[in-house]
Amino acid sequence: MLAAALGAIAVLDQQIEIFGFGDSGPDARSFPRMALWLLAAVLALRLILGLRQADAPLGRPVRLGRVLAVAAATALALWLMPRAGFFVGAAGAGIVVALVLGEKRLPALILPFFIAAIVAYGGRHGLNIPLP
C-alpha cells in the first residue's frame, strides 16, 4: 500500500488535469495530494512500528479471502468504469464490500446504489467533473 500511495503521488500531476489562470492557491490536486501524503506517512509509520514486533500469523484463510474479494471487486470496478460508467462500477464495488463485511440487511445492501447515484449526479452536474 505504501508503494501504491507513493506511486499515486508521483503520477498525480498527470492524472488530474487543471486549467488555471496562474492562481497560487489550492487547486483540484490539493486534497488528493494531502490525502496521499497522509496515507503514505501513516503507512510508513505503521511499517516502522511493525518491524519491532514479532511476526504473527496472517490469520484464518477466510479473512484473507475477504481481503482478496474486496481487492478483486475494486480492480473490477476500476476496469468497468470506462466501459460501463462510474455508477455501475462504484455501486457494484460497494455491494461486494457490504457483503464481505457480513451485511445481510436489505437497506444496507441498497445503500451503495444511492451513494453511487448521489456521487455520480453531484460530480457530473453539481461539480462538473467528467466521470466515466
Side-chain angles (χ1 to χ4, degrees):
M1 284 182 65
L2 180 59
L6 293 174
I9 291 169
V11 299
L12 181 67
D13 290 339
Q14 292 90 19
Q15 295 298 318
I16 300 177
E17 187 173 343
I18 299 211
F19 300 104
F21 300 106
D23 295 337
S24 63
D27 58 17
R29 293 184 195 125
S30 298
F31 179 74
R33 184 177 290 118
M34 182 181 67
L36 286 169
W37 276 111
L38 182 63
L39 176 65
V42 168
L43 290 171
L45 180 65
R46 180 69 180 119
L47 180 65
I48 291 167
L49 293 176
L51 290 175
R52 295 182 180 174
Q53 296 176 351
D55 287 339
L58 288 175
R60 298 178 303 164
V62 173
R63 291 180 65 193
L64 182 60
R66 290 178 182 171
V67 170
L68 292 176
V70 169
T74 303
L76 181 64
L78 291 173
W79 181 80
L80 270 177
M81 281 185 192
R83 292 158 182 77
F86 172 82
F87 175 75
V88 173
I95 290 172
V96 170
V97 169
L99 289 171
V100 166
L101 291 175
E103 193 57 59
K104 293 182 173 79
R105 294 175 293 166
L106 187 60
L109 293 175
I110 295 175
L111 188 62
F113 281 112
F114 291 117
I115 292 173
I118 289 168
V119 170
Y121 183 80
R124 186 166 302 212
H125 299 290
L127 298 174
N128 205 17
I129 299 172
L131 295 172

